[in-house]
Amino acid sequence: FAVTAFEADPAWAPLYEQPCCRFHASCDVKLIRAGIGARMRANESMSLQWLSNDGHSIGRSGRAAPDAMHTVEIRSVSLVHWLTRHVRHEDWVVCKMDIENVEHQVLPELLAVPSTLRLIDELFVECHHRESYGVGPHYYSECLSMYERLMAEGVWVHDYF
């Protein structure tokens, strides 16, 4: 099998290096040093503000608003465009998504393009919301609604937090 990881945080990059799949000799890991963004054109990248709690690792802070000490810029790519260019419908695609509240932008964008959304067979998603994470403006009911829409389109959704 092949693993493609979108990881903007340099602190986590070593997890994707060989021999991360040492028990699976046929595993091929490709690390793309970027985050996932929404509403982007093909071949376009942009900077997003992610929070850093220690100056080295991004996306781990519970802060409500970015500030100069806890903010870094990252390169971002469109999941819709990446899937369209790199995945075939006959591929079995399992996606783990923990993108620090950006799922509320990326998943509706995927839902707007059902043929691309259906390239994903299983989706494990950490949906950030007020009730469990204290991160707004979204509520858990919005996550559940999004899961229902995804499953109605044929994607098997697993919630984790």
Side-chain angles (χ1 to χ4, degrees):
F1 63 92
V3 175
T4 300
F6 295 90
E7 182 58 67
D9 190 338
W12 293 98
L15 295 176
Y16 302 102
E17 296 171 358
Q18 299 295 347
C20 81
C21 295
R22 64 180 169 255
F23 301 111
H24 303 282
S26 63
C27 178
D28 176 32
V29 179
K30 179 180 180 183
L31 175 63
I32 299 174
R33 293 185 183 261
I36 295 295
R39 295 176 185 83
M40 301 173 65
R41 296 184 185 123
N43 303 318
E44 182 179 17
S45 65
M46 61 184 279
S47 295
L48 296 176
Q49 300 296 312
W50 282 42
L51 301 174
S52 171
N53 64 352
D54 62 7
H56 301 291
S57 180
I58 61 178
R60 310 277 180 267
S61 176
R63 296 176 186 276
D67 61 45
M69 183 176 174
H70 299 94
T71 303
V72 294
E73 288 191 2
I74 63 169
R75 189 173 77 90
S76 179
V77 297
S78 165
L79 184 58
V80 169
H81 293 292
W82 188 88
L83 286 168
T84 303
R85 286 179 293 196
H86 298 281
V87 175
R88 301 170 311 197
H89 282 282
E90 58 268 19
D91 294 336
W92 182 260
V93 177
V94 177
C95 178
K96 177 192 172 279
M97 184 179 290
D98 180 2
I99 54 177
E100 305 306 322
N101 218 12
V102 181
E103 67 276 4
H104 293 283
Q105 297 169 0
V106 171
L107 293 175
E109 183 179 59
L110 277 167
L111 282 160
V113 189
S115 62
T116 301
L117 171 65
R118 288 188 200 107
L119 292 169
I120 299 173
D121 298 289
E122 283 189 72
L123 175 63
F124 291 79
V125 61
E126 181 180 49
C127 190
H128 295 80
H129 51 84
R130 283 187 191 271
E131 292 89 344
S132 292
Y133 297 97
V135 178
H138 303 283
Y139 292 92
Y140 188 59
S141 60
E142 293 175 74
C143 296
L144 293 176
S145 175
M146 196 162 33
Y147 297 161
E148 289 173 358
R149 291 171 47 212
L150 290 162
M151 289 187 286
E153 290 294 336
V155 177
W156 188 2
V157 178
H158 305 272
D159 180 34
Y160 75 93
F161 56 90

